[in-house]
Amino acid sequence: MTDPTTFDASAYQATHFRWTVADRVGTVTLDRPARKNPLTFESYAELAQLFRRLPHARDVRAVVITGAGGNFSSGGDVHEIIGPLVALQEAGDAPGLLRFTRMTGELVKAMRACPQPIVAAIDGVCAGAGAIVAMASDLRVGTARSKVAFLFVRVGLSGADMGACALLPRIIGHGRASELLYTGRFLGGEEAERWGFHNRLVEPDALLAEATAMARELANGPTFAHAMTKAALHQEWSMGVDEAIEAEAQTQALCMQTRDFARAYRAFAARETPVFEGN
């Protein structure tokens, strides 16, 4: 009998983006290159659904997000999202607008709750909601020609979108986050690396391979421990130091109960490389 709580990620067929699985790494490719891979109502919802299901996937231990055609994502589609939102505003449909903003936020919640580490491979334009998706990832590999911008202010909206005011200052610092969210200016690749938004820069033709190699290295690691690290990084934002130390004591004691912990010790004693199995 099939376990209803198990998600066969390798068999999943995405409709609004490309999804592939190889060597325990799942890859999301935003694939509307003619328009720089914008997000739509449907792709927001499907991405959130995928990340909500990944905790139940046994065949995926890390995820890569990238874009097709030399760009990451231009953000929300102007005609398919912004136009309908203006129509809601003109109709006085405040509840409809709130339903949309909550729906987009669900994607970030799903990414942060997903236990697998997420690596964003960022080339070209990475703007608006595209920049949010990159921000919500755990690690970011970029190129010198990448351009990151939180464009909400340019359409008369707050920089407080999809958790940006909470997440971005923790990545690049409060002052730098304030500058980007108030101005909507583009952050070039080299500056993004200096500011800590990109973990590293690579050449465009090596971008996906480098991000995938990083994800594969994580997938080959102690995946239970990685999941606990990701959860702790998220949860401890709201903790005091003493509370965090206690939470980490409990976390580490749980990790010491895994077979991977014993495997690592025995491999070290035998001068071998440990083979982690995620349990």
Side-chain angles (χ1 to χ4, degrees), residues 49-130:
Q49 179 189 57
L50 173 62
F51 283 107
R52 289 294 186 195
R53 297 178 74 180
L54 281 176
H56 306 292
R58 297 177 180 175
D59 50 347
V60 172
R61 295 189 176 183
V63 177
V64 172
I65 303 182
T66 191
N71 291 291
F72 187 75
S73 173
S74 57
D77 189 287
V78 172
H79 299 293
E80 295 182 41
I81 287 186
I82 305 301
L85 291 177
V86 171
L88 289 177
Q89 182 263 335
E90 290 175 343
D93 188 356
L97 295 172
L98 182 57
R99 282 194 297 272
F100 169 75
T101 54
R102 284 177 169 163
M103 183 269 291
T104 61
E106 280 301 314
L107 172 55
V108 174
K109 290 181 182 180
M111 291 175 68
R112 299 314 309 148
C114 167
Q116 291 91 340
I118 302 168
V119 181
I122 303 164
D123 193 17
V125 172
C126 176

